[in-house]
Amino acid sequence: MGQTDNPLHSEAQEADRIGPPREEIERLRQVLHQAQRVVALTGAGISAESGVPTFRGADGLWRQYRAIDLATPQAFARDPRLVWEFYNWRREMLAPLKSNAGHLALVELERQVPEFLLITQNIDGLHHAAGSTNILELHGNIWRVRCTECGEVTEDRTLPLPALPTCGTCGGLLRPDVVWFGEMLDTLILAKAYEGLNSCQALLIIGTSGNVEPAASMGLHAKNHGAVVAEINLEPTPQTEAYDISLLGKAGVILPQLID
Ligand code: BV8
Ligand code: ZN
């Protein structure tokens, strides 16, 4: 497909307009039919069609709200009120949003394949809301809070939470139960993720720009362990060349075509 004469026509728009080639979709459908164990790794792109801003998009959280500066333990130590203002704003924005066809297609896929594991980088809880069950939340969940003193973790959907919310058990300052930049991921969650990546026959990587580690290296890890790796994304990523299949377009349009 040559470049169109209209310079404003971005590659992503073009890809979205025509969709991926039918034979590539068919090839991936075959792989999924034959696979015993399938893993899906998702990022912000799968929630974009629900109205959740991604991180790097034009309206992205990192452009407008310096998310990468606020989503750190240093920022929270320096100004917990500002960081809570950021998370309360995201909670209020997320609260009315619903899962989309992409999330629902993964619920259906979980029903169709013998063994399915969903690894998500998203903290919005939309996979759970859609009905997925075997989920690993690599970066936590914005609807859970954790006490910085006693460590108690609870789900709290209060909108908004107080400016500086405190623990019901010990009175300590609460923080969002998410993984910030520079923080280690939960070791048990990571162990389960790599157990799935080591043993799956097919890995779908959906709606992630492949910039944030350790998630960004999980595709290559699965490929080195013998999996067929397929990327479903609006645009190519730094890892696309290394994968077996690349379907360019919207997750909510492509994923339903992969299931019966
Ligand atoms: C760690 C929760 C070990 C919080 C998130 C220097 C200093 C310190 C650390 C580092 C450093 N250099 C590297 C690091 C490691 C760092 C990292 O990777 N940094 C990056 C920025 C370089 N990683 C960490 O710190 C991790 N911890 O490594 O521990 C360690 C310990 C100490 C010191 C060093 C190492 C922790 C990372 C977790 C951070 N927390 N979220 C919050 O959200 O508030 S990350 C957050 O951003 C998300 O969870 C997500 O993971 C990430 C955004 O990425 P994406 O999901 O890919 O979203 P993005 O917008 O980028 O892309 C969307 C894609 O979808 C696009 O490609 C778009 O085209 C596509 N798309 C859009 N619409 C659609 C679509 N596709 C399909 N359909 C559509 N409709
Ligand atoms: Zn406490």
Side-chain angles (χ1 to χ4, degrees), residues 12-226:
Q13 281 167 319
E14 188 61 17
D16 184 30
R17 196 175 60 79
I18 56 175
R22 193 70 223 148
E23 62 271 8
E24 284 294 90
I25 297 252
E26 207 39 53
R27 192 150 78 90
L28 183 50
R29 283 173 58 89
Q30 287 314 313
V31 167
L32 293 174
H33 277 145
Q34 279 138 28
Q36 175 72 18
R37 301 182 88 174
V38 174
V39 174
L41 169 63
T42 63
I46 198 167
S47 294
E49 290 156 81
S50 296
V52 182
T54 60
F55 286 80
R56 282 179 186 70
D59 65 343
L61 283 173
W62 287 358
R63 288 223 196 299
Q64 297 176 35
Y65 299 97
R66 304 186 348 270
I68 197 163
D69 305 332
L70 292 171
T72 69
Q74 294 78 8
F76 189 71
R78 190 176 51 247
D79 189 346
R81 199 179 291 273
L82 174 66
V83 173
W84 263 117
E85 200 178 305
F86 175 55
Y87 282 92
N88 265 318
W89 173 80
R90 286 171 74 186
R91 287 160 60 102
E92 303 240 30
M93 176 262 293
L94 279 168
L97 303 185
K98 302 278 178 247
S99 335
N100 65 59
H103 297 108
L104 292 169
L106 292 184
V107 175
E108 194 47 41
L109 188 59
E110 183 171 9
R111 289 194 188 115
Q112 287 180 8
V113 303
E115 292 181 60
F116 183 81
L117 169 66
L118 175 55
I119 304 172
T120 188
Q121 302 174 80
N122 300 340
I123 64 172
D124 58 31
L126 289 178
H127 282 301
H128 180 74
S132 290
T133 55
N134 195 15
I135 305 172
L136 294 175
E137 292 178 315
L138 290 182
H139 298 155
N141 185 304
I142 200 166
W143 300 112
R144 286 197 305 267
V145 290
R146 185 168 82 233
C147 177
T148 58
E149 301 290 332
C150 72
E152 186 186 69
V153 175
T154 53
E155 176 165 313
D156 187 333
R157 289 180 178 265
T158 311
L159 289 177
L161 283 167
L164 289 175
T166 52
C167 175
T169 305
C170 78
L173 177 62
L174 296 177
R175 59 165 281 176
D177 188 32
V178 301
V179 179
W180 280 327
F181 289 100
E183 289 190 319
M184 304 294 283
L185 279 66
D186 177 286
T187 41
L188 182 60
I189 288 177
L190 271 184
K192 288 179 186 170
Y194 284 107
E195 197 262 316
L197 296 166
N198 293 347
S199 57
C200 66
Q201 286 80 42
L203 168 66
L204 304 179
I205 302 182
I206 306 157
T208 179
S209 63
N211 284 284
V212 174
E213 295 297 355
S217 304
M218 288 183 172
L220 267 184
H221 183 98
K223 186 160 173 58
N224 294 339
H225 283 75

